[in-house]
Structures are given as structure tokens and as C-alpha cells.
Amino acid sequence: MSAWQRSDGSTGIFAGGGPEGRPPGEFSRTLRDEGGQHAAEVTTAGAAWLASAAAYPRSALSLWQSRPGAPVVLPCGTVFDVVNVPSIFGRRLLDTLWSEGPGSGPVAGHRGRMLLFTAPGTAQRLPSLLEWEEWGEAVPPMLCHGVGDAVTVPSPTSRVPRPGARWLVAPDTRHPWLPGPEVVLWACVRAARSTCSPSVRLSIFPRADQDAKVYDVSRRR
């Protein structure tokens, strides 16, 4: 199970991938049980998934065990990409994904931003898809982190979140489902439309050139 905290304070539950066995020891006891209801804590399987993004996964796990509160910097582009949005819009985006769409992968909050973990390749493809939309001011600029980038995420083992850093949807499986660029684009459109006035036009097509000539091809032979 995955859980997330909605912007209204309620908790949503999504049936994701099944739990995996976890090794005994102090490290596993610092992580929540798969059956728990805490959205902000990581399972052992989820920590293993995060560590798989590091150059040396076992060393990363050992570091997290010995220093639970240490900052975690992970590279993007292989195991996951990250879409980085302001928290207010990110909350609407996350609510849309869970209430109307397929849910989300892991999501973290960090220093007033929301980090949405997405499928590898999303950072390269999403910006070009966003350019086709006429957002106006409905959607703030997004930062897409992919190959060559790294992100700071909340500690997967610390029970006390660092100021400004916490898991909103914690990793809880070794192979989490991650949304791709099309899913993120769809959620952006839905989230933007939910807050725009009827006079604001959101389209997946670029605005027509007012000076362009229009030809009637219906009679073409």
C-alpha cells in the first residue's frame, strides 16, 4: 500500500506493488512495516530501490544505517527522473493523480518544492510536451531533473524529518510504478483547469497565428 497526504489534510490510499521480504536487523527496524499507515516513512524495500540509483547501492545503505539523518543526494536518469514543482501547484497535481488518475510513484517535499519521481526519460520528453500547452499563469515553471542531474531527498531511515524535507508518498516497494511524461502532462492540464476561470483557454495545440491565411481544402479534388 502507498499513502499520501492530500492538501485538505486527509489521507489517501493506493494499492501499489506488493510488499517484499526485508532482512532482520536494526536497519529494518528503523523503517515502517508495510502494513502501517504512515505516509512519511520508507520501507526496507523502498530504501533498496532508492539505493539502487546510487553508484554503490550497498555503501549507500550502510551510510543510511550509520547516519540516519544525513542528507541524501541521488543521481537521476537511470532509476528515475524527478519533476520539481512549487509545493502549492504540486499538491493540486498530486491530488489529481490520485483522485482522477493512476496514482503516483514516490513524492518528496523539500524546501518549498515538491519532487515527483517519474520514469527515466521524463525529464527529456516532458519540456517539449509542455511547450505545446497554453498555460498562461495556470502552471508555474517546472524543473526536470534527468541524466547528469542529482536531487536531495529526505533520509529514508530517519524517523525525525529534517526541516523542510519529508516524504509525501514514501517508497514502499522494490519496483515502484513511476508516471511517464504523458501522465504528468495530463495531470498538469487537469490541475490547471480545476483552478482556472472559464475565460482561460488551455489547449494541447499552439495558439493560431492571427495573421495566418486559412484555406478551405474540403473541395480539393
Side-chain angles (χ1 to χ4, degrees):
M1 289 286 187
S2 294
W4 86 104
Q5 298 171 347
R6 293 193 181 97
S7 55
D8 60 4
S10 61
T11 299
I13 301 294
F14 175 73
E20 299 185 12
R22 52 186 172 182
E26 185 64 29
F27 178 64
S28 64
R29 287 196 291 272
T30 65
L31 305 174
R32 76 171 174 86
D33 293 334
E34 279 82 358
Q37 297 299 317
H38 300 288
E41 296 182 15
V42 183
T43 66
T44 301
W49 173 74
L50 285 172
S52 68
Y56 302 99
R58 291 185 180 181
S59 297
L61 290 172
S62 297
L63 175 63
W64 299 342
Q65 181 179 358
S66 61
R67 300 177 59 192
V72 179
V73 180
L74 295 174
C76 302
T78 302
V79 176
F80 53 76
D81 283 358
V82 169
V83 176
N84 183 334
V85 298
S87 291
I88 295 178
F89 180 76
R91 281 287 187 172
R92 295 201 300 265
L93 189 65
L94 190 58
D95 284 347
T96 299
L97 283 168
W98 285 88
S99 63
E100 303 178 38
S104 73
V107 180
H110 183 66
R111 295 183 177 179
R113 307 283 296 186
M114 183 175 289
L115 308 180
L116 180 68
F117 285 70
T118 60
T122 299
Q124 180 179 5
R125 177 64 177 148
L126 183 60
S128 60
L129 294 177
L130 292 172
E131 288 179 357
W132 282 85
E133 289 288 347
E134 296 178 4
W135 301 115
E137 298 180 355
V139 176
M142 298 183 183
L143 302 176
C144 296
H145 307 292
V147 176
D149 299 324
V151 294
T152 301
V153 301
S155 171
T157 56
S158 177
R159 289 178 178 267
V160 181
R162 295 171 58 228
R166 63 185 179 124
W167 288 104
L168 302 176
V169 181
D172 64 353
T173 177
R174 188 62 177 78
H175 302 286
W177 176 82
L178 301 174
E182 293 82 5
V183 173
V184 177
L185 176 67
W186 168 85
C188 286
V189 173
R190 299 289 294 182
R193 286 176 177 170
S194 67
T195 58
C196 286
S197 64
S199 60
V200 177
R201 177 177 177 268
L202 291 177
S203 172
I204 61 173
F205 302 103
R207 185 180 300 275
D209 187 345
Q210 299 299 323
D211 297 326
K213 295 182 178 179
V214 178
Y215 299 92
D216 182 2
V217 297
S218 60
R219 298 181 182 181
R220 180 177 296 172
R221 295 180 180 178

